[in-house]
Amino acid sequence: MCWKLLSRGATSAELHTLFQSPEEGWQLYTSAQAPDGKCICTAVIPAQSTCARDGRSRELRQLMEKVQNVSQSMEVLELRTYRDLQYVRSMETLMRNLDARLRAADGSLSAKSFQELKDRMTELLPLSSVLEQYKADTRTIVRLREEVRNLSSSLAAIQEEMGAYGYEDLQQRVMALEARLHACAQKLGCGKLTGVSNPITIRAMGSRFGSWMTDTMAPSADSRVWYMDGYYKGRRVLEFRTLGDFIKGQNFIQHLLPQPWAGTGHVVYNGSLFYNKYQSNVVVKYHFGSRSVLVQRSLPGAGYNNTFPYSWGGFSDMDFMVDESGLWAVYTTNQNAGNIVVSRLDPHTLEVMRSWDTGYPKRSAGEAFMICGVLYVTNSHLAGAKVYFAYFTNTSSYEYTDVPFHNQYSHISMLDYNPRERALYTWNNGHQVLYNVTLFHVISTAGDP
């Protein structure tokens, strides 16, 4: 076969394109057949400068995607900041009203009662500085959003021109913005659970037990919902395009898992489903895009097959969760005498990175969820439940809590926190229910010890 090499820009009216590589810009043409029967082909290669730009064009596209992800994260962060700011402002108003009432009632209260109220008021005074800090952080987010908008415009202009001028500078700006956003998200996005809203019923569908969820790592535009009915031997996962489609029961596809699940403690994280393989202590990572199992691994010593379930049973020995810091597994071992163990998992290999023994008996827990590295446990799966126990992995300490939790349909078999939406997903006696949560974070100010 004979080949003819032309530079970019060469033209021929009789050439017919056979193949074009989108990665390198090469094109292969054929024009005629030689007298000896050989095919005469023409390969048109891109100019050297174009090749250089192609590589950087791909990198520019990647930068554009990063900027879009930052922008989407900032939308969520701004909403969180607004909610927290409203909460702190209402607290400030209450403090001012209390202070005014104390001044007015100075002579009508006993000395002991007045001193007790005054001491309580002194304890609340630091909230004023917290409010000022939240206001400053809100202004910071506004500035960050403006920088992201300017950077996005610059990247779009350069991408349109297919040039590479100022690329390194733009890359550094993107990295700096990502670092600042991450720090800001850690500062404002996490906090101590102080309240759970009234339930919001999304739909009544399926049996008494099951699970439903969205991907905690998906961008805000991706609102797919996954639905898994039943608590053992199931293999069918329904994927709905949007929450609206889930409510209407339309526009869904079906995934058939190669291995059945046990329990309802499944979670979708970065495009993959993590679940407990039936009658084993094996963790399975199933990728929805490729419809295949990427990795599976035994969780060392973990009980299974209703050995250490939650109080409601249902093969709930192993519960997988995702919070702001990553993937977690909640389970129990014989060595821990039936107490809840929390382990941080590597989402790629499923290896245990670190474990904590909480000291709380798993059979006494209704359900559990992770927020900002803190495991919260309810004292029952039935009516009258409340968030009763909290274990802090950052300090390896615990405390008993008293956060009301309205169990509307009287039998919760799945409870998970979604950090992207800052909401609790529950399956309650055949109902798919959401709860909003209130997180409070006291920010240290200058001069604090």
Side-chain angles (χ1 to χ4, degrees):
M1 182 171 290
C2 70
W3 298 91
K4 179 181 179 184
L5 294 177
L6 302 178
S7 64
R8 173 66 71 185
T11 59
S12 177
E14 71 275 19
L15 297 183
H16 306 283
T17 302
L18 291 182
F19 172 78
Q20 179 174 356
S21 167
E23 296 296 326
E24 300 296 337
W26 285 72
Q27 292 179 332
L28 180 63
Y29 296 91
T30 181
S31 57
Q33 200 172 36
D36 58 2
K38 292 182 179 180
C39 177
I40 301 176
C41 300
T42 303
V44 181
I45 62 173
Q48 185 175 358
S49 59
T50 304
C51 289
R53 287 200 303 271
D54 283 346
R56 290 196 169 185
S57 294
R58 288 194 299 273
E59 292 174 328
L60 282 173
R61 285 196 297 271
Q62 293 171 359
L63 283 177
M64 286 288 291
E65 292 174 359
K66 284 187 176 183
V67 171
Q68 290 172 357
N69 291 337
V70 169
S71 180
Q72 291 165 353
S73 299
M74 289 195 64
E75 291 177 11
V76 177
L77 182 58
E78 188 173 20
L79 177 60
R80 291 180 178 180
T81 307
Y82 175 78
R83 290 175 178 172
D84 290 339
L85 190 60
Q86 294 298 108
Y87 176 76
V88 177
R89 280 175 173 165
S90 65
M91 291 295 295
E92 183 190 39
T93 302
L94 289 175
M95 286 190 299
R96 288 175 177 172
N97 292 339
L98 178 59
D99 183 56
R101 292 174 62 187
L102 281 173
R103 295 179 186 277
D106 193 350
S108 60
L109 292 175
S110 67
K112 182 179 179 181
S113 298
F114 180 76
Q115 186 59 43
E116 288 177 353
L117 289 174
K118 189 175 180 181
D119 291 342
R120 182 58 179 162
M121 188 66 193
T122 302
E123 292 176 5
L124 294 175
L125 281 177
L127 286 176
S128 297
S129 59
V130 173
L131 175 62
E132 295 305 317
Q133 183 64 50
Y134 269 112
K135 289 178 180 178
D137 289 330
T138 303
R139 291 191 292 270
T140 300
I141 291 174
V142 172
R143 290 196 300 270
L144 280 171
R145 185 174 58 184
E146 185 62 28
E147 288 187 41
V148 170
R149 185 182 294 110
N150 294 338
L151 181 57
S152 179
S153 299
S154 299
L155 284 171
I158 289 179
Q159 191 176 41
E160 183 178 353
E161 295 174 4
M162 296 298 290
Y165 299 105
Y167 168 78
E168 290 80 6
D169 177 61
L170 287 168
Q171 186 180 40
Q172 291 300 320
R173 288 178 63 187
V174 169
M175 292 174 63
L177 277 172
E178 284 183 326
R180 290 172 63 186
L181 178 65
H182 180 69
C184 198
Q186 283 189 324
K187 186 177 183 182
L188 295 176
C190 274
K192 183 178 179 179
L193 179 69
T194 58
V196 178
S197 75
N198 287 325
I200 305 168
T201 301
I202 302 300
R203 189 177 181 188
M205 176 184 179
S207 65
R208 191 178 188 186
F209 313 97
S211 60
W212 71 296
M213 66 215 83
T214 59
D215 191 340
T216 60
M217 285 287 288
S220 57
D222 184 351
S223 59
R224 285 177 295 171
V225 174
W226 286 270
Y227 170 90
M228 302 169 68
D229 191 11
Y231 66 86
Y232 77 106
K233 297 174 66 174
R235 294 176 58 200
R236 191 174 72 128
V237 182
L238 300 185
E239 176 187 312
F240 292 84
R241 188 177 60 184
T242 65
L243 180 61
D245 289 330
F246 173 69
I247 294 172
K248 297 175 183 177
Q250 64 184 22
N251 295 325
F252 64 88
I253 59 175
Q254 176 176 287
H255 299 269
L256 193 63
L257 301 178
Q259 298 160 332
W261 71 68
T264 59
H266 330 299
V267 69
V268 176
Y269 180 58
N270 201 21
S272 293
L273 172 71
F274 295 80
Y275 70 96
N276 175 211
K277 180 183 175 183
Y278 179 60
Q279 291 190 327
S280 75
N281 63 358
V282 173
V283 186
V284 179
K285 178 182 180 180
Y286 175 84
H287 187 247
F288 287 116
S290 61
R291 293 178 177 263
S292 63
V293 173
L294 298 185
V295 63
Q296 55 183 339
R297 181 184 295 272
S298 294
L299 200 55
Y304 62 94
N305 205 28
N306 266 342
T307 304
F308 298 113
Y310 289 124
S311 61
W312 64 275
F315 297 91
S316 56
D317 304 77
M318 297 168 64
D319 194 1
F320 303 103
M321 309 171 183
V322 171
D323 71 352
E324 291 78 0
S325 55
L327 178 66
W328 303 82
V330 169
Y331 56 100
T332 297
T333 67
N334 286 319
Q335 292 78 7
N336 292 90
N339 293 330
I340 291 177
V341 176
V342 182
S343 290
R344 179 81 182 275
L345 301 184
D346 184 319
H348 303 290
T349 65
L350 300 182
E351 291 180 344
V352 174
M353 301 166 64
R354 185 178 173 184
S355 295
W356 293 262
D357 183 351
T358 67
Y360 193 92
K362 191 164 186 287
R363 286 183 175 273
S364 298
E367 273 286 348
F369 54 93
M370 294 288 297
I371 299 180
C372 301
V374 180
L375 178 72
Y376 293 95
V377 181
T378 65
N379 63 345
S380 173
H381 63 282
L382 302 173
K386 62 182 177 180
V387 181
Y388 179 72
F389 178 84
Y391 186 86
F392 304 87
T393 59
N394 62 335
T395 59
S396 299
S397 61
Y398 69 89
E399 69 178 22
Y400 289 94
T401 60
D402 187 11
V403 179
F405 186 85
H406 181 37
N407 187 344
Q408 184 174 2
Y409 302 107
S410 304
H411 196 289
I412 291 178
S413 60
M414 169 257 177
L415 176 60
D416 254 337
Y417 174 69
N418 187 310
R420 184 185 73 166
E421 300 169 6
R422 205 172 185 175
L424 294 173
Y425 280 63
T426 68
W427 188 293
N428 195 337
N429 213 357
H431 298 78
Q432 292 73 50
V433 182
L434 288 177
Y435 295 83
N436 291 315
V437 299
T438 301
L439 305 179
F440 189 73
H441 178 57
V442 177
I443 303 171
S444 298
T445 57
D448 287 348

